[in-house]
């Protein structure tokens, strides 16, 4: 089947319930590297503690991330006191007192003093995936507690029986809405049902948007290797047409964290091993996440990001594709071939294109051509081709453009502007 950007109807099936997340969220999250490291005596620089998050906030404020749009620090699992699981008097959740001695509100105040949003984690289950207290049946109280602490974004995981998710995610949506504070709501619900078959998730997507979810995780957790990253790209490639109508301003499909600048073996300290994926593969992740309108949540250690990785993350042309105000999710236009074309329509009529060489190294680099009509641009119009990785014009072309020697697992990332953009 041949798709074009325009042949897949862009229908916002359901209006977002709130005015948050108009473009995909951008920030940093602790889970990819720091996981559930809670032994601060052994791992003082990398344990889940206020020291870690304050130092990440310092790095975010100092190194140009805020100016580029990365503006939230996301704490993931394992921040809570386990026993007792709630304050015996107030029944509120409590941060681990040894690791968060200043309290959870003080951490939020610290972020806010630097212009950074406070993102936190809970789950619609008795316990979180790491075995810490969850919010099941305590949505109202927990949402009020998060609001008191100044939280701006909640990732709400689901680590128990899926039979609770329908009422649980609805209850949390209402509770956050009534908390008196605008709090972005990230729901993990679809990741846990239907075995990843996105063709049967429509009803869930509609419910989630109605419940106020501003985004949701659809599929497996990303891991620090190419096999994991490549499989997520394949999943979005395969299901693009099923996913696209449900993404838009206020509600996004979340492909999970960026591995860009992340090193393996980093759980104890965060900056020790090899790159999770090669630099070329890091570019590919940035390009596909931007085309797919996925949140851009870094999973590195912001205190130690290599300069070349930083250049990918801070590439303003890639970020402009991700944050395009039209909010139309892009999709893979070709089948599951070794040379793939992905495209996303931009608000000003331009089309962003990723030419992705899916082959393994043995097959070597490939020339990949894109016929402009597949992207919805009139075949007979002059098209300016801007090379996003090269940060310069590649020239003006008619009918087609060929990217030369795209490396294995690599991408050419382009922005096409037609003199007279005619979307067919
Ligand atoms: C699940 C989520 C991850 C992370 C862990 C924490 O696996 O998908 O993103 O939050 O739980 O335990």
């Amino acid at each position: 089947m041949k798709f074009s950007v325009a042949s897949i109807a862009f229908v916002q099936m359901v209006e977002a319930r709130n005015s948050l997340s108009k473009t995909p969220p951008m920030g940093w999250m602790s889970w990819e590297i720091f996981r559930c490291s809670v032994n601060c005596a052994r791992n003082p620089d990398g344990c889940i503690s206020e020291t870690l998050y304050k130092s990440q906030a310092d790095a975010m404020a100092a190194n140009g991330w805020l100016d580029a749009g990365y503006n939230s620090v996301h704490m993931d699992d394992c921040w809570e006191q386990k026993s007792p699981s709630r304050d015996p008097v107030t029944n509120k959740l409590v941060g681990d007192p040894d690791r968060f001695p200043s309290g959870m509100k003080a951490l939020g105040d610290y972020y806010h003093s630097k212009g950074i949003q406070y993102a936190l984690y809970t789950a619609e289950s008795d316990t979180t995936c790491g075995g810490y207290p969850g919010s099941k049946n305590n949505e109202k109280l927990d949402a009020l507690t998060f609001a008191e602490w100044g939280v701006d974004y909640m990732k709400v995981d689901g680590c128990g029986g899926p039979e609770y998710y329908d009422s649980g995610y609805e209850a949390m949506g209402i509770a956050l809405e009534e908390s008196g504070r605008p709090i972005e709501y990230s729901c993990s619900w679809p990741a846990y049902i239907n075995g990843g078959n996105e063709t049967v998730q429509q009803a869930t997507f509609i419910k989630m948007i109605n419940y106020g979810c501003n985004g949701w995780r659809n599929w497996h957790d990303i891991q620090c290797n190419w096999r994991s990253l490549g499989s997520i790209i394949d999943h979005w490639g395969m299901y693009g047409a099923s996913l696209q109508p449900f993404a838009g301003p206020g509600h996004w499909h979340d492909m999970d964290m960026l591995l860009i600048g992340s090193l393996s073996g980093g759980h104890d300290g965060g900056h020790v091993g090899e790159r999770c994926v090669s630099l070329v593969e890091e570019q590919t992740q940035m390009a596909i996440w931007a085309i797919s309108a996925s949140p851009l949540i870094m999973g590195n250690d912001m205190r130690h990001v290599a300069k070349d990785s930083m250049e990918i993350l801070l590439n303003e042309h890639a970020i402009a594709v991700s944050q395009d105000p039209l909010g139309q999710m892009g999709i893979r236009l070709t089948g599951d071939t070794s040379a793939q074309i992905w495209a996303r329509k931009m608000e000003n009529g331009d089309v962003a294109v990723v030419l992705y060489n899916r082959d393994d190294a043995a097959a070597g680099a490939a020339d990949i051509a894109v016929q402009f009509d597949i992207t919805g641009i009139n075949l007979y119009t002059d098209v300016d081709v801007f090379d996003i990785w090269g940060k310069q014009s590649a020239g003006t072309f008619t009918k087609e453009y060929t990217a030369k020697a795209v490396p294995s697992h690599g991408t050419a990332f382009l922005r096409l502007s037609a003199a007279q953009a005619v979307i067919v």
Side-chain angles (χ1 to χ4, degrees):
M1 182 167 179
K2 183 181 161 192
F3 292 127
S4 83
V5 169
S7 71
I8 295 183
F10 176 44
V11 188
Q12 282 234 160
M13 306 296 285
V14 187
E15 280 295 310
R17 232 188 122 109
N18 55 44
S19 58
L20 306 171
S21 303
K22 285 292 179 210
T23 58
M26 293 174 67
W28 174 89
M29 182 178 280
S30 51
W31 183 252
E32 171 48 33
I33 286 192
F34 300 100
R35 303 277 157 159
C36 195
S37 175
V38 291
N39 185 339
C40 294
R42 206 188 65 204
N43 183 19
D45 283 350
C47 68
I48 303 305
S49 67
E50 63 184 42
T51 311
L52 173 67
Y53 292 95
K54 281 168 126 178
S55 67
Q56 296 294 339
D58 293 344
M60 181 174 269
N63 296 328
W65 301 109
L66 278 175
D67 288 344
Y70 298 92
N71 65 359
S72 48
V73 169
H74 297 237
M75 191 181 305
D76 209 77
D77 206 346
C78 312
W79 58 269
E80 295 156 307
Q81 171 178 284
K82 251 187 177 170
S83 177
S85 58
R86 289 176 174 268
D87 183 292
V89 178
T90 62
N91 200 37
K92 289 181 178 176
L93 291 170
V94 185
D96 182 279
D98 295 328
R99 293 181 283 118
F100 295 91
S102 313
M104 302 311 289
K105 179 172 184 312
L107 185 60
D109 292 344
Y110 188 81
Y111 291 171
H112 293 150
S113 73
K114 295 183 173 277
I116 292 172
Q117 293 190 349
Y118 186 10
L120 197 57
Y121 169 99
T122 187
E124 276 310 321
S125 30
D126 292 324
T127 57
T128 66
C129 298
Y132 286 75
S135 289
K136 182 177 175 184
N137 293 322
N138 283 297
E139 287 81 3
K140 208 168 174 169
L141 174 64
D142 290 358
L144 285 172
T145 307
F146 301 142
E148 261 170 42
W149 292 346
V151 168
D152 303 295
Y153 182 115
M154 281 306 303
K155 169 176 171 180
V156 183
D157 214 337
C159 312
E163 63 285 350
Y164 183 67
Y165 295 163
D166 201 342
S167 57
Y169 279 102
E170 180 178 30
M172 184 58 92
I174 294 169
L176 291 172
E177 204 170 278
E178 293 178 349
S179 72
R181 186 174 174 85
I183 299 179
E184 287 176 72
Y185 183 27
S186 163
C187 304
S188 299
W189 186 3
Y192 295 107
I193 56 174
N194 294 323
N197 180 357
E198 309 285 8
T199 63
V200 297
Q201 298 275 48
Q202 280 85 346
T204 309
F205 296 147
I206 290 172
K207 276 187 191 170
M208 283 189 303
I209 299 169
N210 278 330
Y211 295 169
C213 302
N214 296 112
W216 46 80
R217 285 280 313 287
N218 304 56
W219 208 51
H220 298 329
D221 289 1
I222 198 160
Q223 308 296 338
C224 175
N225 57 65
W226 171 256
R227 194 163 49 84
S228 166
L229 171 52
S231 76
I232 295 173
I233 295 173
D234 285 348
H235 183 86
W236 257 258
M238 178 157 67
Y239 288 116
S242 299
L243 296 172
Q244 197 217 31
F246 302 96
H251 43 91
W252 311 101
H253 302 288
D254 182 351
M255 302 173 83
D256 209 2
M257 291 164 285
L258 297 170
L259 299 177
I260 305 166
S262 302
L263 306 181
S264 65
H267 302 180
D268 291 330
H271 54 277
V272 286
E274 301 291 312
R275 283 175 195 273
C276 291
V277 295
S278 71
L279 196 65
V280 156
E281 292 163 346
E282 289 187 356
Q283 280 186 331
T284 295
Q285 186 180 25
M286 186 75 179
I288 299 285
W289 263 234
I291 279 276
S292 306
S294 173
L296 300 180
I297 313 279
M298 299 183 281
N300 51 28
D301 180 343
M302 272 188 295
R303 299 168 301 189
H304 306 278
V305 182
K307 195 164 172 294
D308 45 14
S309 297
M310 216 164 151
E311 274 168 21
I312 296 171
L313 289 161
L314 295 177
N315 182 305
E316 67 270 30
H317 309 289
I319 291 173
V321 172
S322 156
Q323 300 294 302
D324 185 77
L326 181 62
Q328 176 167 355
M329 175 188 158
I331 56 167
R332 190 177 79 192
L333 301 179
T334 49
D336 185 17
T337 54
S338 49
Q340 300 185 359
I341 302 173
W342 295 58
R344 173 174 174 184
K345 192 174 144 193
M346 304 280 96
E347 190 186 43
N348 71 351
D350 289 359
V351 179
V353 170
V354 173
L355 304 177
Y356 166 45
N357 178 359
R358 188 181 179 282
D359 271 340
D360 290 333
D367 293 350
I368 306 181
V370 52
Q371 302 269 328
F372 295 140
D373 66 337
I374 193 178
T375 72
I377 290 179
N378 187 328
L379 256 187
Y380 300 100
T381 304
D382 283 347
V383 174
D384 294 331
V385 177
F386 186 82
D387 172 4
I388 290 179
W389 294 136
K391 292 192 172 183
Q392 60 184 356
S393 169
T396 301
F397 300 82
T398 49
K399 292 191 181 169
E400 67 171 24
Y401 172 78
T402 301
K404 301 280 185 200
V406 180
S408 154
H409 297 176
T411 45
F413 192 8
L414 312 169
R415 185 164 178 141
L416 311 183
S417 314
Q420 303 158 300
V422 181
I423 301 298
V424 292

